[in-house]
Amino acid sequence: MKQTTFARALTVMLSVLLGVSPGLSTVALAEELEANNNNELSTLDVLEQEDASTQDESNVQVLQELDAESEANQELENVPEPGLVSDQEPVLDQEQDDIQVVAQSDPGSQEGTATSIELIEDTQQQKSASNKSINVQTESESASVTPVLSASGYAQGKGAIKATKTTGGVTIGSKQSGTSLTGIKLSLSDGAITYKAYAQKAGWQKQKASGELAGNKGTGKLLGAVKIELSDDLSQDWSIRYRCYVQSKGWLGWAADGAVAGITDNSGRVVNAIEVRIVPKDSTSARGGGKAWIDAGLTASAHVEGTGWQAQKSGYNIRIGTTGKSLRLEALKISRSDGIDVAGNIVYKAHVQNTGWQGKRSNGRVAGTIGQGLRVEAISVQLTGELGQQYDIWYRVHASGAGWLAWASNGSNAGTEGLSLQIEAIQLALVRKGSNMPSQKGQNISIPFITKSNVRYAAEVSGTWTTWKKDGKNVGSAKTGAVKKLKMVTDGQLAGSIKYSVRPSGLGWQKYVSNGAVAQKSNKSFQAIRVKLTGELGRVYNVWYRCYVKGYGWTGWAKNGATCGSVDADKPITAVRVCLRSRALDAPGSTANTCFKPFTSGDKELDKILDTIVKNVTGTGSDALRKGYDYVSSFPYRSGSKWPSGSWKTWSVGFAKEMYNNHSGNCYRYASLMCWIARRLGYDAKVISGEVLAYASGRSAHGWCEIKIDGKTYVLDPDLQWEIPSRSFYLKTYDNAPVYYYK
């Protein structure tokens, strides 16, 4: 019955579509088709034999019979019926659609027909579609067998725990409180699997494979996150997906194929369970659900002198820049990591050399400068929005010479200001509110931000204490009496002391005193001092000091415990200057001749001669050097003396004795005796063997004495002084000397 009805309906539809009136009645034609289902005569041939003039009438009759047939047979209720518009010709577009639907629903009925090219193509397309579905099924059946996952785990205080089966996968652990995972093991029935565990406050461990333990057996750090991957051959067809159940957060979103799942913010929140599934590569299951990874993480990078931008660092506790290389940090960028699960930004600013504090930056914008060679000296970092409500940002800097300073947090300053110290490295840490300060390991300074410290000092001169002075100002003067007592203190936030000692005449060095105590309790004038810093003060600063020594003048700047003044010359100090300068800065002035100390030649005969000259001619006063110069330049010139060769310290000893014993000599003898008198008085002097311009033309060989005082180099030339008395050759610089000297 079903076949008869279907054949009749098909015949009617074909007739309407082709617009023909078959000679046979519609019923007869249907019966003929039913009796001979494989008739080689095509439907189109049958239709072409009919008289076209009876087309409309036959169509109406066919429709009427079809309606009657439909009411009697409910089995045709799903077959679309040809549509007409009033008494018009059939709407071909609508009827063609209906035919395509019928043909697709039963492609077997098209066999042996050639109604139109379109119909044949539709049939072929449908067959291709059928074949494709079969092929997909075949490929699925022929693909590797679904890998079966085995899993187990470890929990704190419980040791080994079994995994439970879930829909399409397994769960290690339990959502119930009291289960804190510490490790996992995974393996497959077919193929390889690799995985890594993140231990809270310890970081990522080494990768494990197929049955190896990632994490620990319940006695170590808690597990915070995982990464899981399938081998290359399996990953072509399959995907491994996993998620973590976190205390106070519930199930996080799904991660897949090596991505991070869990929590790495070191907040102490517990991972209670991990669910793992293996699904086909294109499966839409086990996806979404929100963030799979929560991380109190930062990303940051530094622009370093001579290097440029370093590789970006990421994590909850990171360092950027360098240490131990004396390279300035010139710029930085900081941003939040994608794993942070709350809204808000990281805002930061930098204090830059010659500029001061710049404006605030955020979201990875550059703070500092690039290409200008300017150091960053201090920073400030803070959090905004919900991020700032739930987390603290800690940071510290490694300053040149000082090392790691203390931690600052949440917008306070870290670094230095007014010290010209460069930041070389920065450490940043993002932690949950209420967590402890990061480790202070390596810290050299107990405060995070250093501003300029000063030293203050006072002296007793001629029985009266001076007012407090600082920053290199004088206590006493060249014209006052001797300094007999001294005291010093420092201000500022740094821990440590300033210590000082004096050397009174005939008493030797006294014990160090500190922080305002009076040095030297006798009433004798002192001839030298030493000053030094301890603790944090000494890590950040150098202490510089100089003295005015009667008869010699100002010494050069000494520092950090070196002797300054005079020794064994019986010369009192009449003035003192002291200052603190960061270790990044040079001395405030010349460092030459920090201590006037009489030199000995090592030759007994010459040293005896020099003692006689100092005692009877020059003395040790402020004019001793001039008296010695006048003494030597009074000797007459005598030619024919031996010329020097080799080191001046060797030949000058004999030449000086000749000049003294003969009371005459050439330029080298003048220079030698003058040099050794100056050295006996405590000056840094030597003999130069060179040339000067000759009277006639060209150059003439010549010798003179060169001396350094207060960092400057001078000429002493008693020979030319005797020959040209109208001009002065005493303490002349090379630029101001009456003649040009060639060294």
Side-chain angles (χ1 to χ4, degrees):
M1 181 63 180
K2 291 181 180 180
Q3 292 178 351
T4 302
T5 304
F6 180 82
R8 289 177 178 175
L10 178 60
T11 302
V12 172
M13 292 180 184
L14 291 173
S15 299
V16 174
L17 176 62
L18 298 174
V20 297
S21 290
L24 296 173
S25 69
T26 305
V27 175
L29 180 58
E31 291 174 350
E32 181 67 16
L33 290 171
E34 183 178 0
N36 189 9
N37 198 31
N38 295 320
N39 194 332
E40 296 183 68
L41 182 62
S42 70
T43 304
L44 183 59
D45 293 336
V46 173
L47 295 175
E48 286 178 347
Q49 295 176 8
E50 301 303 317
D51 186 359
S53 63
T54 63
Q55 177 178 347
D56 292 341
E57 181 180 351
S58 299
N59 286 342
V60 173
Q61 181 181 357
V62 169
L63 291 172
Q64 291 172 346
E65 292 178 3
L66 182 60
D67 288 340
E69 191 82 38
S70 298
E71 292 176 0
N73 299 282
Q74 295 300 319
E75 296 174 1
L76 287 176
E77 63 183 357
N78 294 325
V79 178
E81 155 180 337
L84 298 176
V85 180
S86 298
D87 295 330
Q88 304 292 325
E89 290 289 317
V91 181
L92 296 181
D93 287 344
Q94 181 65 44
E95 290 178 340
Q96 185 168 345
D97 288 342
D98 290 341
I99 290 172
Q100 289 173 343
V101 170
V102 173
Q104 291 173 0
S105 66
D106 189 2
S109 64
Q110 306 293 330
E111 189 176 350
T113 65
T115 54
S116 69
I117 295 176
E118 287 82 358
L119 184 59
I120 293 172
E121 288 180 349
D122 273 351
T123 303
Q124 291 174 344
Q125 183 177 1
Q126 183 176 347
K127 289 180 178 179
S128 298
S130 298
N131 289 338
K132 185 174 181 180
S133 298
I134 293 172
N135 289 339
V136 169
Q137 183 178 2
T138 302
E139 289 173 3
S140 176
E141 291 173 353
S142 63
S144 59
V145 177
T146 305
V148 178
L149 179 67
S150 298
S152 61
Y154 290 87
Q156 188 179 52
K158 295 183 178 182
I161 57 175
K162 294 181 179 180
T164 58
K165 291 184 178 180
T166 59
T167 304
V170 295
T171 296
I172 308 167
S174 171
K175 295 189 296 183
Q176 297 178 356
S177 61
T179 301
S180 302
L181 292 182
T182 62
I184 60 171
K185 289 183 179 180
L186 301 173
S187 60
L188 297 176
S189 61
D190 184 20
I193 186 171
T194 57
Y195 43 97
K196 295 178 73 173
Y198 180 92
Q200 289 189 11
K201 300 184 179 180
W204 288 103
Q205 298 183 345
K206 293 182 179 179
Q207 182 171 278
K208 304 297 181 179
S210 300
E212 295 179 335
L213 173 62
N216 63 81
K217 294 184 177 182
T219 58
K221 299 285 187 181
L222 298 179
L223 186 147
V226 293
K227 300 178 184 177
I228 310 175
E229 292 184 89
L230 298 175
S231 59
D232 291 342
D233 54 341
L234 285 178
S235 63
Q236 296 178 10
D237 299 316
W238 304 98
S239 174
I240 188 157
R241 300 177 187 175
Y242 41 96
R243 62 176 179 169
C244 294
Y245 188 93
V246 176
Q247 177 187 0
S248 77
K249 294 292 291 186
W251 283 112
L252 303 183
W254 289 94
D257 304 319
V260 180
I263 187 163
T264 57
D265 67 354
N266 292 286
S267 62
R269 286 184 287 187
V270 174
V271 173
N272 302 114
I274 300 174
E275 183 177 2
V276 188
R277 298 184 187 181
I278 297 180
V279 298
K281 191 73 174 179
D282 58 353
S283 174
T284 59
S285 66
R287 285 186 175 175
K291 283 184 176 292
W293 171 38
I294 297 175
D295 175 38
L298 307 162
T299 60
S301 58
H303 191 279
V304 176
E305 172 189 357
T307 302
W309 285 108
Q310 293 182 320
Q312 182 173 275
K313 299 286 187 67
S314 297
Y316 76 95
N317 191 322
I318 58 176
R319 292 183 181 183
I320 58 174
T322 62
T323 58
K325 298 181 179 180
S326 298
L327 299 176
R328 64 178 173 269
L329 190 148
E330 299 175 342
L332 65 147
K333 297 185 289 188
I334 309 173
S335 59
R336 50 177 285 167
S337 71
D338 293 337
I340 294 178
D341 58 340
V342 293
N345 286 321
I346 301 176
V347 179
Y348 48 98
K349 60 181 180 178
H351 185 281
V352 178
Q353 173 188 359
N354 300 335
T355 302
W357 286 104
Q358 294 180 328
K360 293 181 178 180
R361 309 284 192 266
S362 63
N363 300 324
R365 290 179 58 203
V366 174
T369 60
I370 299 174
Q372 299 182 40
L374 300 177
R375 62 182 173 266
V376 173
E377 298 176 345
I379 62 168
S380 171
V381 189
Q382 63 187 112
L383 308 176
T384 65
E386 191 178 358
L387 183 62
Q389 297 171 9
Q390 296 191 23
Y391 290 90
D392 289 322
I393 181 75
W394 291 88
Y395 43 97
R396 64 176 181 172
V397 306
H398 188 282
S400 174
W404 287 107
L405 277 58
W407 289 96
S409 66
N410 301 331
S412 57
N413 296 335
T416 66
E417 187 174 9
L419 277 68
S420 300
L421 288 178
Q422 64 191 21
I423 288 179
E424 298 176 348
I426 299 173
Q427 185 173 2
L428 303 118
L430 191 64
V431 300
R432 278 273 176 180
K433 285 283 188 186
S435 299
N436 294 329
M437 177 192 299
S439 170
Q440 296 173 290
K441 184 178 180 180
Q443 179 174 295
N444 294 320
I445 306 297
S446 61
I447 59 175
F449 185 62
I450 307 172
T451 56
K452 191 175 187 311
S453 295
N454 293 297
V455 57
R456 296 184 298 123
Y457 46 98
E460 184 189 278
V461 180
S462 301
T464 303
W465 279 96
T466 66
T467 59
W468 288 98
K469 305 292 184 181
K470 66 178 182 179
D471 295 331
K473 301 295 191 300
N474 288 355
V475 288
S477 72
K479 298 180 180 180
T480 60
V483 174
K484 296 183 178 180
K485 290 181 173 59
L486 187 66
K487 57 185 178 181
M488 302 181 191
V489 294
T490 59
D491 56 21
Q493 324 100 307
L494 293 172
S497 300
I498 185 166
K499 306 185 77 171
Y500 40 99
S501 173
V502 299
R503 191 175 191 269
S505 177
L507 295 180
W509 287 104
Q510 304 296 291
K511 290 183 179 180
Y512 276 100
V513 295
S514 61
N515 300 334
V518 176
Q520 215 280 94
K521 296 183 179 179
S522 73
N523 201 35
K524 290 188 175 183
S525 62
F526 49 84
Q527 301 170 344
I529 65 171
R530 292 172 179 169
V531 188
K532 61 183 179 180
L533 303 173
T534 65
E536 295 177 357
L537 272 170
R539 296 190 186 103
V540 177
Y541 292 100
N542 291 319
V543 57
W544 294 92
Y545 44 98
R546 69 186 309 197
C547 302
Y548 189 91
V549 180
K550 189 174 182 180
Y552 290 117
W554 283 105
T555 66
W557 286 94
K559 69 174 181 178
N560 302 339
T563 299
C564 182
S566 68
V567 176
D568 297 332
D570 198 23
K571 300 289 186 180
I573 291 173
T574 63
V576 175
R577 297 176 183 172
V578 189
C579 67
L580 299 182
R581 290 172 69 84
S582 80
R583 288 183 171 268
L585 299 176
D586 294 330
S590 170
T591 58
N593 300 327
T594 58
C595 181
F596 295 108
K597 181 178 181 180
F599 293 91
T600 59
S601 66
D603 184 279
K604 292 183 178 180
E605 181 185 355
L606 178 57
D607 288 340
K608 186 176 181 179
I609 291 171
L610 297 175
D611 287 341
T612 299
I613 293 173
V614 170
K615 181 178 180 181
N616 298 317
V617 178
T618 66
T620 57
S622 59
D623 58 349
L625 184 65
R626 179 66 197 228
K627 287 179 179 180
Y629 177 79
D630 292 340
Y631 170 73
V632 176
S633 62
S634 67
F635 293 171
Y637 180 85
R638 182 164 65 91
S639 62
S641 301
K642 183 180 177 181
W643 283 31
S645 63
S647 170
W648 72 268
K649 286 187 177 180
T650 301
W651 53 259
S652 66
V653 171
F655 285 9
K657 290 190 291 184
E658 287 182 25
M659 190 67 178
Y660 177 78
N661 291 328
N662 297 330
H663 280 72
S664 64
N666 66 3
C667 60
Y668 301 106
R669 274 70 179 174
Y670 279 104
S672 296
L673 183 56
M674 182 70 253
C675 172
W676 283 108
I677 292 174
R679 291 175 69 82
R680 178 62 181 84
L681 293 173
Y683 291 96
D684 182 8
K686 63 182 178 180
V687 179
I688 302 296
S689 178
E691 297 176 322
V692 293
L693 289 176
Y695 286 114
S697 63
R699 299 180 185 179
S700 176
H702 186 61
W704 63 92
C705 177
E706 183 180 273
I707 188 170
K708 291 184 177 180
I709 299 176
D710 201 18
K712 292 184 179 181
T713 302
Y714 299 93
V715 171
L716 291 171
D717 195 342
D719 173 29
L720 290 184
Q721 189 69 63
W722 183 85
E723 294 189 40
I724 314 174
S726 61
R727 296 190 180 184
S728 175
F729 292 86
Y730 175 73
L731 292 183
K732 296 296 182 181
T733 64
Y734 282 100
D735 292 336
N736 296 326
V739 298
Y740 192 85
Y741 291 87
Y742 298 90
K743 296 172 72 172

